[in-house]
């Protein structure tokens, strides 16, 4: 099983090379390593998400309200320049001769097909929590059963099939306590952890590449060079607001 590598812009957490062989001891060590890496990666994702949320709130408080004020002034100027456009639009909206907008029809109910009902029964017979051997397996079965009930309510055959396939590939689906069963469970658990790490890496990359993430990176890079881009933006917006206010007031008729 190849080791996972992450791009340097996403994370510096890189799994060690996979140990040689697939004996129980080596596989156990690999699973423990991946478990620890998953905990670190999860913490990193939470940290970045928290920092972006804090930056978003601060940026909106300092800059967002000024943007809204400027947009409102520009709207008032546009309405003044267009003269009667706003009043005519209001008259048309209140004119009883104008036809009322058509109401959107209610969505048609979704009917559960025989194929979906049969597939749901197969899923329930396979993953029902009452079939569990231990508490950990019961929790996994219970989670999947909740998802299956939701998919059945939506009539989603594809989702039901994916739930069944996910269980069949899971470590918990392997029965037995012999060495081969234990080895297979460890192999599946390692693959499961690697999939989760890949999802976290994609989530982290998406956050960093989002408009908010890029804005924060730009602000942070400027701060390291001694520049406060947020303060400069606030100053420029205030100048624009003053100019727009003067222009709007000049277009108003004298009292």
């Amino acid at each position: 099983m190849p080791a996972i590598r992450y791009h340097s812009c996403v994370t510096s957490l890189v799994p060690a090379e996979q140990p040689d062989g697939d004996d129980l001891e080596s596989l156990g060590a690999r699973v423990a390593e991946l478990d620890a890496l998953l905990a670190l990666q999860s913490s990193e994702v939470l940290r970045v998400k928290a920092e972006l949320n804090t930056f978003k709130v601060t940026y909106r408080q300092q800059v967002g309200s000024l943007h809204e004020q400027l947009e409102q002034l520009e709207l008032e100027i546009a309405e003044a320049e267009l003269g009667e456009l706003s009043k005519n639009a209001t008259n048309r909206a209140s004119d009883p001769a104008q036809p009322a907008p058509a109401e959107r029809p209610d969505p048609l109910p979704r009917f559960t097909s025989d194929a979906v009902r049969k597939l749901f029964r197969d899923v329930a017979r396979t993953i029902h929590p009452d079939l569990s051997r231990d508490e950990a397996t019961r929790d996994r079965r219970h989670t999947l059963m909740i998802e299956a009930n939701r998919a059945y309510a939506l009539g989603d055959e594809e989702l039901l099939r994916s739930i069944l396939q996910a269980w069949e590939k899971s470590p918990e689906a392997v029965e037995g306590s012999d060495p081969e069963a234990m080895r297979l469970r460890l192999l599946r658990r390692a693959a499961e952890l690697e999939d989760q790490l890949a999802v976290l890496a994609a989530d982290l990359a998406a956050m960093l590449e989002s408009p908010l993430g890029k804005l924060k990176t730009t602000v942070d890079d400027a701060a390291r060079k001694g520049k406060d881009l947020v303060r400069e933006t606030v100053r420029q917006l205030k100048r624009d607001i003053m100019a727009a206010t003067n222009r709007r007031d000049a277009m108003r008729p004298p009292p």
Side-chain angles (χ1 to χ4, degrees):
M1 189 178 301
I4 295 179
R5 297 282 176 177
Y6 298 106
H7 195 279
S8 59
C9 71
V10 175
T11 178
S12 60
L13 304 175
V14 181
E17 295 297 327
Q18 182 175 348
D20 295 331
D22 58 356
D23 58 279
L24 292 179
E25 184 177 354
S26 297
L27 287 172
R30 177 62 176 163
V31 167
E33 176 190 38
L34 289 171
D35 264 323
L37 183 60
L38 183 64
L40 289 173
Q41 188 77 336
S42 298
S43 297
E44 176 71 2
V45 169
L46 291 175
R47 182 190 67 79
V48 172
K49 184 179 295 186
E51 287 186 355
L52 286 178
N53 287 337
T54 300
F55 175 78
K56 181 179 180 180
V57 171
T58 303
Y59 190 83
R60 280 184 173 177
Q61 289 174 342
Q62 297 179 351
V63 178
S65 60
L66 295 177
H67 270 300
E68 292 173 1
Q69 186 177 347
L70 181 59
E71 288 172 1
Q72 180 61 34
L73 285 167
E74 290 174 347
L75 177 61
E76 292 174 7
I77 291 171
E79 288 177 347
E81 289 176 340
L82 294 174
E84 295 295 317
L85 179 62
S86 178
K87 184 173 69 175
N88 291 340
T90 303
N91 292 337
R92 284 197 299 271
S94 59
D95 188 352
Q98 293 292 329
E103 294 184 0
R104 298 180 64 180
D106 293 334
L108 296 174
R110 298 188 64 174
F111 297 98
T112 304
S113 66
D114 291 340
V116 170
R117 281 193 288 270
K118 181 181 181 302
L119 181 57
F120 177 74
R121 288 195 296 268
D122 292 342
V123 171
R125 281 196 295 265
T126 303
I127 69 174
H128 198 280
D130 289 346
L131 301 173
S132 59
R133 302 182 305 272
D134 51 59
E135 198 62 31
T137 305
R138 175 179 290 276
D139 290 343
R140 177 64 177 270
R141 288 175 179 269
H142 180 69
T143 300
L144 289 176
M145 199 66 214
I146 292 175
E147 295 179 9
N149 284 324
R150 186 181 299 115
Y152 178 70
L154 296 172
D156 194 331
E157 182 176 355
E158 182 178 349
L159 181 55
L160 279 171
R161 202 174 302 281
S162 68
I163 290 171
L164 185 59
Q165 292 172 350
W167 170 257
E168 291 172 345
K169 294 178 181 178
S170 69
E172 294 86 357
V174 179
E175 298 183 354
S177 56
D178 57 283
E180 181 57 26
M182 295 171 64
R183 188 185 74 85
L184 183 55
R185 275 195 292 271
L186 288 171
L187 283 172
R188 290 189 176 189
R189 178 57 179 161
E192 192 175 63
L193 289 168
E194 288 175 344
D195 288 343
Q196 293 173 5
L197 282 166
V199 170
L200 288 175
D203 289 345
L204 189 57
M207 285 191 290
L208 296 176
E209 290 300 316
S210 68
L212 180 64
K214 289 181 178 180
L215 176 60
K216 185 178 184 303
T217 298
T218 301
V219 170
D220 290 345
D221 289 344
R224 283 190 285 271
K225 299 175 183 178
K227 296 182 179 179
D228 190 336
L229 290 186
V230 174
R231 180 179 296 179
E232 292 178 6
T233 302
V234 168
R235 288 175 178 170
Q236 183 60 50
L237 283 170
K238 287 182 177 179
R239 288 194 291 267
D240 293 342
I241 288 171
M242 182 177 296
T245 301
N246 293 336
R247 184 181 175 194
R248 181 203 59 187
D249 293 344
M251 297 174 68
R252 288 177 173 174

